[in-house]
Amino acid sequence: MASRMRRPNTNVYRSRLVYGAHSSSTNQPTTSRSSGVRRTVNKSVFERISGRLSVSKRQKSTAATARASGWTRITVRNGKDLSGSEIIAALEDFLKSPVHPFCISNLDNSDVTFYVRKSEEGSAILSASRRATTSSGRKLIIETQSASPPCIELVDSDKEVLKQVLDSLFCAGTHHLNLGCFSQNTVIRNHREYMPVNRNSVMLAIAILLSEQGGVIHSIDLSNNRLRHLDYLANLVSFTRNVIALDLNENQVDSVDELRKLSGWKLSQLNVKQNPFYKDFKSESEYHRAMLSVFPQLTLLDGVPVVKEETVNFGLDVPTVSAAQINWPPALGSFLVNDELKDLLIRFFMEYYSCFDSTETSQREKLLHAYTKTSLFSLTADVSYSTKDW
């Protein structure tokens, strides 16, 4: 009698997957029969599929949490050559209302990001995309996305304690906020949760609490708080714009670049010498020049009056000399054809040197477009005029 070959099952993966609870091998196929249909599934395949479903659920849960938080992440495309203050100023000028940014940062792909706490503010900022213009005439390209807070937020009970402490440390008469040795405050020490200001969540909560009434603060003491990175402290700049005096002594700031994050404050008084970065300077005058490059309006540095030297170095890496030591040639009258040309040249030089003399590197970089790669100096002259017209 001729043997009959068994027909292969073509419905192995067509039906609903069934996983055998008593399978002894990790990759052993499991079979079952139901309604006359044979169903087979490999255990590892089942785990991969179920894992994808779990990830999808987690992603949906995270997105829902982000929407519920109200936080919005703002991305300014190709905004790396713009300072944070330029971007915020352009947005405020367009929206005709204050913008409350948190955690402004530059990404590796040349984008700039920051967060806003209210979804309504995020929607308003999105409406400014390709419409808000910086002072240099550049339009901002903006994208927004619902996001979780930039760091873990304090619980409501901790925020309430923090609010009480801030109220007690603010002196309305002098407009001074004393956050020095903050962790040693009696209320903070007795609270069940340790809340030093060098913790991101605490500094973020302080910024949020000051976002409503920060304009009344004129000076802040943040000494002796073990501060090293000032990213979250920089959030205060947008909400306490009238601060002119700052004490950062007895902290752990190890780079001048950290101080640049606070350059939005127009400080006239600064105490910062007692930090590790001070050892990087070879002389006191070098230290003073570095601080003036960050805060050009300083009049009192570490309790010592600031003497601003008038120097000329033409952007060269050579020792600077006093303007009084230079034997300048006598000034001559202008030689211009007409007043129209004169006005054009004056506007050009005013705009050129406002960029060249700026303390911000991003401003001077804008002048690169005015040069070719090989030229040291460019001069254009119209020789159609007769010399008798000069």
Side-chain angles (χ1 to χ4, degrees):
M1 183 174 64
S3 62
R4 298 177 60 185
M5 295 184 64
R6 187 174 182 179
R7 182 180 179 183
N9 184 7
T10 59
N11 295 320
V12 173
Y13 291 104
R14 292 182 183 177
S15 60
R16 181 171 54 88
L17 299 177
V18 176
Y19 178 72
H22 303 290
S23 176
S24 59
S25 174
T26 302
N27 294 317
Q28 183 67 30
T30 302
T31 63
S32 67
R33 291 183 179 273
S34 177
S35 303
V37 179
R38 180 184 177 90
R39 291 168 295 184
T40 305
V41 63
N42 185 287
K43 182 176 180 180
S44 61
V45 173
F46 179 85
E47 290 176 343
R48 287 199 298 271
I49 294 175
S50 61
R52 293 193 193 103
L53 295 175
S54 299
V55 170
S56 178
K57 290 180 180 179
R58 288 197 298 270
Q59 290 174 341
K60 291 180 180 179
S61 176
T62 302
T65 303
R67 288 192 296 270
S69 70
W71 286 86
T72 302
R73 187 172 185 260
I74 311 295
T75 301
V76 179
R77 293 299 182 190
N78 300 315
K80 191 174 183 179
D81 58 337
L82 298 173
S83 65
S85 57
E86 283 183 286
I87 294 174
I88 301 305
L91 291 174
E92 291 182 338
D93 182 62
F94 176 81
L95 298 174
K96 307 302 181 184
S97 62
V99 175
H100 306 93
F102 292 87
C103 301
I104 300 176
S105 61
N106 294 326
L107 302 182
D108 293 337
N109 62 353
S110 77
D111 293 343
V112 174
T113 66
F114 62 91
Y115 294 79
V116 292
R117 187 164 165 259
K118 298 179 180 179
S119 57
E120 297 83 2
E121 186 174 2
S123 300
I125 291 175
L126 180 60
S127 69
S129 182
R130 301 181 185 274
R131 300 166 71 187
T133 307
T134 64
S135 57
S136 60
R138 178 172 171 180
K139 292 186 179 297
L140 300 180
I141 302 176
I142 301 170
E143 296 178 1
T144 64
Q145 182 181 9
S146 298
S148 300
C151 69
I152 298 176
E153 291 191 280
L154 298 180
V155 298
D156 291 341
S157 58
D158 293 341
K159 292 179 182 178
E160 185 60 32
V161 171
L162 195 60
K163 183 179 184 302
Q164 295 174 6
V165 173
L166 291 178
D167 290 340
S168 66
L169 296 178
F170 175 67
C171 177
T174 59
H175 302 280
H176 178 67
L177 180 62
N178 183 10
L179 301 180
C181 300
F182 187 78
S183 61
Q184 300 302 314
N185 180 274
T186 304
V187 177
I188 295 297
R189 291 183 64 183
N190 294 334
H191 186 57
R192 67 178 185 277
E193 183 69 24
Y194 182 57
M195 295 193 296
V197 294
N198 63 346
R199 181 177 293 177
N200 291 342
S201 57
V202 176
M203 188 59 75
L204 178 64
I206 291 176
I208 293 173
L209 291 171
L210 296 180
S211 62
E212 301 297 332
Q213 300 178 347
V216 299
I217 300 174
H218 294 172
S219 62
I220 301 179
D221 183 355
L222 280 162
S223 61
N224 203 357
N225 278 302
R226 304 181 67 182
L227 292 169
R228 182 178 181 182
H229 301 293
L230 305 182
D231 300 84
Y232 279 79
L233 173 59
N235 291 326
L236 295 183
V237 174
S238 300
F239 309 122
T240 57
R241 301 186 182 185
N242 294 326
V243 168
I244 58 173
L246 178 66
D247 191 342
L248 280 176
N249 271 335
E250 299 292 344
N251 281 293
Q252 298 177 0
V253 181
D254 57 6
S255 171
V256 176
D257 290 335
E258 293 297 322
L259 294 177
R260 298 188 192 281
K261 299 171 184 177
L262 309 179
S263 60
W265 273 329
K266 309 302 181 184
L267 297 181
S268 60
Q269 300 179 31
L270 175 65
N271 294 328
V272 73
K273 188 175 184 178
Q274 297 174 20
N275 278 278
F277 78 89
Y278 176 73
K279 298 178 182 178
D280 297 336
F281 297 102
K282 298 178 181 179
S283 64
E284 193 73 13
S285 60
E286 182 183 356
Y287 164 66
H288 276 228
R289 285 196 296 269
M291 294 300 98
L292 283 172
S293 69
V294 181
F295 305 105
Q297 298 181 359
L298 280 179
T299 58
L300 198 65
L301 179 60
D302 300 307
V304 179
V306 175
V307 178
K308 299 181 181 179
E309 298 180 356
E310 186 179 0
T311 59
V312 177
N313 63 6
F314 300 102
L316 302 177
D317 295 330
V318 296
T320 57
V321 295
S322 172
Q325 297 174 326
I326 299 178
N327 184 20
W328 297 102
L332 300 177
S334 61
F335 298 93
L336 297 171
V337 177
N338 51 50
D339 291 337
E340 182 180 357
L341 179 60
K342 178 180 179 180
D343 293 339
L344 176 63
L345 290 175
I346 289 177
R347 288 199 304 271
F348 168 79
F349 285 123
M350 291 292 290
E351 185 175 351
Y352 179 93
Y353 283 106
S354 65
C355 294
F356 187 87
D357 295 335
S358 174
T359 57
E360 297 184 10
T361 306
S362 60
Q363 291 291 331
R364 185 174 290 189
E365 288 177 350
K366 296 177 181 178
L367 299 177
L368 293 176
H369 302 292
Y371 296 89
T372 65
K373 294 183 179 180
T374 57
S375 67
L376 298 178
F377 181 77
S378 299
L379 177 64
T380 301
D382 187 351
V383 296
S384 61
Y385 294 98
S386 172
T387 55
K388 67 181 181 180
D389 295 327
W390 291 70

